[in-house]
Amino acid sequence: MLCKTLENPLVNIIGHCDRLKNGFNIDKVLDVVKSKNKIIELNYSSLNLGFEAEEKIIELATLCMEKEIYVSIGSDAHIAHEIDNFTKMESLANYVKLPSGLIVTNNLGTFVNKLNI
C-alpha cells in the first residue's frame, strides 16, 4: 500500500507510517522513498505512545539516516501550546545523529524546495 502510494506524483511525504498496526516492510518502502525522492515524516506524537512506539521511530530515523532519506519533523500539535514543541524530536535526532541536511523542515526554503512548489 505504501509503495503504491509513493508512485503518486502528488504524494511528497509519507506520514504516520510508524503507526501501522500490522507494520510494513520498512526496507522495501524506504527503497521506494529513496528512488522516488520522497520524504518520511518522523511523527512527534508517536513518541507519546510508549517505549515500543519510540523504538519504531528510532529505527525509522536510523534507517533514513543510513539510506540518506529526507525526513520531515514537526510538532504534530493538536493543541496550541504544543505547536513549536520539538524537544523530543530534537533529542531523537541527536540520539541517532541525524544530519540536519536530511531534515527538510529545518526552514521554509528547504521545505518548499524539496517539495518543488
Side-chain angles (χ1 to χ4, degrees):
M1 171 188 72
L2 291 174
C3 292
K4 185 165 177 72
T5 301
L6 288 162
E7 297 292 331
N8 185 328
L10 299 176
V11 172
N12 294 302
I13 301 173
I14 294 291
H16 294 265
C17 60
D18 59 284
R19 291 188 176 192
L20 294 173
K21 292 185 189 277
N22 295 322
F24 62 99
N25 184 329
I26 193 167
D27 286 317
K28 182 176 180 179
V29 169
L30 291 182
D31 287 346
V32 175
V33 168
K34 178 75 174 180
S35 71
K36 298 290 182 184
N37 203 26
K38 305 285 182 160
I39 303 165
I40 288 286
E41 176 199 28
L42 300 178
N43 190 329
Y44 173 85
S45 64
S46 292
L47 294 175
N48 296 324
L49 299 176
F51 181 70
E52 186 176 309
E54 188 171 327
E55 283 183 331
K56 286 181 182 179
I57 290 289
I58 289 170
E59 177 187 18
L60 187 58
T62 300
L63 288 171
C64 286
M65 181 188 64
E66 290 171 359
K67 294 176 181 276
E68 297 183 341
I69 291 172
Y70 292 101
V71 299
S72 167
I73 293 177
S75 64
D76 196 35
H78 291 245
I79 191 163
H81 71 271
E82 289 290 323
I83 289 175
D84 65 346
N85 184 354
F86 301 108
T87 307
K88 287 184 180 180
M89 290 310 294
E90 288 172 346
S91 294
L92 181 134
N94 289 333
Y95 176 77
V96 300
K97 297 179 177 40
L98 186 66
S100 63
L102 290 179
I103 304 171
V104 299
T105 47
N106 277 342
N107 66 62
L108 181 59
T110 301
F111 186 66
V112 169
N113 184 47
K114 182 66 179 150
L115 295 180
N116 296 312
I117 54 175

